[in-house]
């Protein structure tokens, strides 16, 4: 199936749900991203800063760029002029840097708190206690150029449906607790980014609002 057909197939699955598709474009050339754009995709997710910075000027201005990979503070300034959402916020230090760099461009950058929900040690992310501490800090209260809009998590790479459901339910539970305690009045705090090519259907059932899909659209990377 073509890129357009794959996108159409996923969009059909998302119809009637609250979930939106983030097309994961890492390692794919601009020509393939243009195909995805022509097929209606507007949310593009990249893992690496350099790749996003290189591709962004070559593509239409109405694309919402999401950084979904680990972000080092010294790279934030490269993204600050245009990034829409940084899905991988895992420290107060990173939040402060995003705020500082976005302010230089008179922008507000959206961010998701990344939680560690997987069984795998290699995955990064906050614990719930760390997130609470961050949101209660004076430094966080001062931020004006970064806006937290939800949570993100990467599930374990497994075929065990019960385990995946458990991990997705954990992330949704974190979202609901944060919403009621810190963001009850904030309409913008509404995103639960979970689910990838292999497990996005399950993630949608468990309340995902953003699914990050790459190989199911572009095929396996060669």
């Amino acid at each position: 199936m073509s890129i357009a057909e794959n996108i159409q197939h996923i969009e059909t699955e998302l119809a009637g749900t609250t979930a939106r598709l983030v097309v994961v474009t890492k390692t794919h050339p601009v020509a393939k991203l243009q195909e995805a754009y022509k097929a209606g995709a507007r949310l593009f997710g990249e893992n690496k800063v350099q790749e996003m910075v290189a591709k962004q000027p070559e593509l239409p201005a109405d694309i919402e760029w999401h950084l979904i990979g680990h972000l080092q503070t010294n790279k934030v300034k490269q993204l600050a002029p245009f990034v829409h959402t940084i899905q991988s916020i895992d420290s107060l230090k990173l939040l402060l840097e995003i705020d500082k760099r976005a302010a230089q461009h008179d922008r507000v950058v959206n961010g998701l708190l990344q939680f560690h929900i997987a069984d795998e040690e290699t995955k990064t992310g906050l614990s719930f206690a760390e997130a609470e501490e961050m949101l209660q800090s004076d430094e966080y209260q001062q931020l004006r150029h970064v806006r937290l809009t939800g949570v993100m998590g990467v599930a374990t790479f497994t075929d065990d449906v019960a385990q995946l459901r458990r991990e997705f339910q954990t992330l949704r539970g974190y979202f609901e607790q944060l919403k009621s305690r810190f963001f009850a009045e904030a309409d913008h705090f509404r995103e639960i980014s979970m689910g990838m090519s292999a497990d996005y259907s399950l993630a949608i059932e468990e309340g995902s609002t953003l699914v990050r899909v790459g190989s199911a659209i572009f095929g396996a990377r060669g």
Side-chain angles (χ1 to χ4, degrees):
M1 295 213 317
S2 70
I3 289 170
E5 286 167 332
N6 289 335
I7 288 174
Q8 188 54 55
H9 172 72
I10 295 165
E11 290 289 5
T12 303
E13 281 190 77
L14 298 184
T17 75
T18 54
R20 293 179 298 151
L21 171 64
V22 179
V23 177
V24 178
T25 49
K26 60 179 182 182
T27 75
H28 295 296
V30 165
K32 285 197 171 183
L33 275 64
Q34 285 165 334
E35 273 186 68
Y37 182 89
K38 281 187 193 132
R42 291 297 179 270
L43 279 61
F44 285 18
E46 282 283 342
N47 278 55
K48 292 197 165 70
V49 172
Q50 292 90 322
E51 251 192 278
M52 189 189 278
V53 170
K55 290 171 180 174
Q56 185 263 342
E58 311 249 330
L59 287 147
D62 63 336
I63 288 172
E64 239 183 59
W65 289 94
H66 288 232
L67 187 84
I68 58 176
H70 182 67
L71 178 59
Q72 295 167 296
T73 47
N74 64 348
K75 301 267 179 72
V76 173
K77 61 179 179 286
Q78 297 174 51
L79 298 178
F82 69 88
V83 71
H84 181 279
T85 299
I86 294 169
Q87 293 203 12
S88 48
I89 294 175
D90 58 2
S91 71
L92 182 59
K93 184 181 162 202
L94 182 55
L95 261 181
L96 295 171
E97 182 67 16
I98 296 166
D99 188 73
K100 174 183 152 188
R101 297 299 179 180
Q104 292 169 350
H105 297 276
D106 200 24
R107 298 187 68 229
V108 177
V109 171
N110 290 332
L112 304 182
L113 293 177
Q114 181 173 356
F115 285 94
H116 188 279
I117 56 168
D119 250 357
E120 297 148 15
E121 284 306 309
T122 52
K123 301 261 166 60
T124 56
L126 296 158
S127 67
F128 191 74
E130 288 169 332
E132 283 181 302
E133 192 182 332
M134 208 158 84
L135 294 172
Q136 287 163 345
S137 70
D138 290 338
E139 294 107 315
Y140 171 73
Q141 308 297 331
Q142 307 302 316
L143 302 180
R144 295 293 174 268
H145 292 270
V146 60
R147 181 174 72 159
L148 292 178
T149 56
V151 301
M152 183 267 242
V154 182
T156 305
F157 188 69
T158 178
D159 294 330
D160 183 340
V161 169
Q163 182 177 350
L164 289 169
R165 276 199 195 279
R166 229 174 14 250
E167 292 174 5
F168 291 148
Q169 286 164 1
T170 296
L171 187 62
R172 183 172 182 170
Y174 289 167
F175 168 81
E176 285 167 354
Q177 287 181 69
L178 294 176
K179 178 79 178 164
S180 66
R181 284 190 52 197
F182 300 101
F183 298 97
E185 305 301 315
D187 290 342
H188 58 262
F189 193 83
R190 58 172 180 259
E191 304 294 6
I192 306 174
S193 174
M194 59 187 185
M196 290 155 67
S197 288
D199 57 23
Y200 70 84
S201 300
L202 268 180
I204 294 165
E205 287 174 25
E206 297 300 339
S208 176
T209 68
L210 292 168
V211 293
R212 309 181 301 271
V213 183
S215 53
I217 291 170
F218 297 109
R221 288 184 290 281

